[in-house]
Amino acid sequence: MSVRGFGSTASTLISDKNGRKLFLLGLGAAAAVRLLVILFVPPGTDVFYYDRQAVEVLLSFQSPYLHHFTDIPASLATPGAENTFAYLPLTALYLLPFYFTGDIRVGFIVADILIGAILYALGGGRNGTSLFYWFVPFTVIFSTIYLNNSLISLLFISLFVIFEHSERRFLGALSFGIALSAIQFAWLLLPFVLYYYLRARRWKESTIAVLVALALILPFFVAAPARARR
């Protein structure tokens, strides 16, 4: 190896090492900022209360689509929404383990941090996209104060992208199917993903994605069809 080639290789290794350090520092700081926010700032919308009660209903082996929601702060409550869980089942199922941390917002923080990590991986660790994502104020707010349930579906869509990128096709299809069972907006992406699959004659993955979504949604739909459609 020439001196010039050795110098170029060493420079790349140092850069990559520094990049990884910056990534890990950013990850830790992003998590710390969000945890501090939920420790000192209460939820700013009724989404938190609906999600938390939905998890509690699941833990009692009942359907959130048959539940009458109570104890929503009057200043945050959406009039007429007491009998409605407006999201698809995976939202509550995903948040269930985080209920035992004492604050379901930890689940949103985990999703936020993982999305940033996936952005880092997709960029090959050579850009600051993940740092930008983690520290743009609205991303912090949507995972801590003004909760956005789309974040849960976005996590699984991100996993779909990274698995496709690494050619782990089964895991990609599984992830997209889970994303479809989390919130309604993900279904807007279904025609494009099916086109992507079917154009490559990947019938198996397209079938897996749809079947996974239906397997997670249909039991709740059958139990409470009128509400599960909302």
Side-chain angles (χ1 to χ4, degrees):
M1 180 183 290
S2 66
V3 173
R4 179 178 295 180
F6 177 80
S8 176
T9 302
S11 176
T12 300
L13 289 173
I14 291 170
S15 176
D16 288 345
K17 185 176 180 181
N18 288 338
R20 285 193 293 272
K21 285 183 178 179
L22 181 61
F23 165 75
L24 292 173
L25 285 171
L27 186 153
V33 166
R34 286 162 170 77
L35 289 172
L36 285 172
V37 171
I38 68 172
L39 282 174
F40 295 105
V41 183
T45 67
D46 58 358
V47 173
F48 168 83
Y49 299 95
Y50 283 105
D51 285 350
R52 186 176 65 181
Q53 282 192 44
V55 171
E56 291 171 344
V57 170
L58 285 179
L59 288 171
S60 66
F61 300 100
Q62 299 180 50
S63 170
Y65 299 102
L66 297 172
H67 180 66
H68 179 79
F69 290 83
T70 58
D71 299 325
I72 311 294
S75 59
L76 300 178
T78 301
E82 298 84 2
N83 295 317
T84 303
F85 183 62
Y87 311 100
L88 295 179
L90 198 278
T91 293
L93 291 169
Y94 167 83
L95 292 172
L96 194 153
F98 298 104
Y99 178 82
F100 299 101
T101 68
D103 195 324
I104 61 167
R105 289 182 289 178
V106 173
F108 290 88
I109 292 172
V110 169
D112 230 8
I113 297 302
L114 289 176
I115 291 169
I118 291 169
L119 290 173
Y120 177 84
L122 288 171
R126 292 186 296 273
N127 60 54
T129 308
S130 58
L131 297 179
F132 176 79
Y133 173 83
W134 281 330
F135 294 105
V136 171
F138 69 80
T139 64
V140 177
I141 290 172
F142 287 160
S143 62
T144 55
I145 304 172
Y146 298 105
L147 296 182
N148 188 337
N149 281 341
S150 299
L151 190 59
I152 297 168
S153 188
L154 183 59
L155 168 61
F156 289 98
I157 291 171
S158 300
L159 288 170
F160 161 71
V161 172
I162 193 69
F163 286 137
E164 278 292 309
H165 183 73
S166 60
E167 297 187 356
R168 286 179 279 185
R169 295 176 174 181
F170 171 78
L171 291 176
L174 182 65
S175 297
F176 188 70
I178 294 172
L180 290 174
S181 68
I183 201 165
Q184 291 87 331
F185 97 87
W187 286 83
L188 297 175
L189 299 176
L190 181 61
F192 302 99
V193 173
L194 287 180
Y195 175 76
Y196 165 74
Y197 277 143
L198 299 180
R199 187 181 181 189
R201 299 183 182 276
R202 291 169 57 187
W203 310 100
K204 181 179 179 181
E205 286 88 349
S206 61
T207 302
I208 289 171
V210 173
L211 288 180
V212 167
L214 293 178
L216 289 167
I217 294 170
L218 282 180
F220 294 90
F221 183 91
V222 170
R227 294 183 186 178
R229 290 193 200 104
R230 298 179 185 179

